[in-house]
């Protein structure tokens, strides 16, 4: 089975986010008021093959821990959806 | 009203993604097979004040066009949710 995966990588709460702070500071002078708490993360999308959803999710979470994120400062949120009509690969 | 906003910034289809390609090439040697189509984007979260959802969304989409994304090579997907219990700010 083939799954579409979306991994959102966020900085953990409390970890400084200089990129987000810079955006937040710049906004009022560009005419946008009322924006607070800007946090910038990564969004990684890919497809993965697995026997079932549980094993695909386990593989993706292992990938997150090992090299898509830095678990000391980042959290990952994994979304998996079955991608039908993706078969016929042989 | 206060809204929680999530902006996902993705490279447009067809635009080369060297970061995603590098991840994809590295995966098999790290023991992860069957992963294809890796695309890396940005995920920006913040809160915004607006009179109603339509005006808040219009402001966020204007921000996206003007400086959160490069519209030549990137698409933005905006998700807005009303953040209740965020009042009492004065």
């Amino acid at each position: 089975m083939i799954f579409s995966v979306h991994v959102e990588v966020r900085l953990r709460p409390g970890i400084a986010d200089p990129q987000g702070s810079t955006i937040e500071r710049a906004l009022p002078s560009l005419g946008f008021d009322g924006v607070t708490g800007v946090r910038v993360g990564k969004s990684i999308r890919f497809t993965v093959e697995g026997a079932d959803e549980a094993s695909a999710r386990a593989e993706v979470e292992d990938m997150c821990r090992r090299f898509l994120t830095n678990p000391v400062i980042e959290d990952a949120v994994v979304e998996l959806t079955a991608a039908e009509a993706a078969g016929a690969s042989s």
Side-chain angles (χ1 to χ4, degrees), chain A:
Chain A
M1 283 181 79
I2 296 190
F3 297 91
S4 293
V5 183
H6 177 209
V7 178
E8 187 185 345
V9 182
R10 307 180 201 173
L11 286 168
R12 285 174 180 262
I15 301 288
D17 182 349
Q19 197 180 357
S21 307
T22 303
I23 292 176
E24 198 169 326
R25 264 201 317 275
L27 281 166
S29 62
L30 290 160
F32 298 100
D33 292 312
V35 176
T36 52
V38 182
R39 308 284 284 172
V40 180
K42 274 179 291 187
S43 162
I44 306 169
R45 287 185 180 268
F46 53 90
T47 60
V48 66
E49 266 188 78
D52 53 35
E53 183 165 337
S55 70
R57 181 175 288 275
E59 185 181 352
V60 172
E61 284 179 351
D62 193 25
M63 278 168 49
C64 284
R65 247 191 325 272
R66 284 187 50 199
F67 78 109
L68 292 180
T69 73
N70 175 351
V72 177
I73 58 166
E74 290 171 332
D75 279 327
V77 180
V78 175
E79 273 170 44
L80 232 90
T81 48
E84 61 273 88
S89 61
S90 64

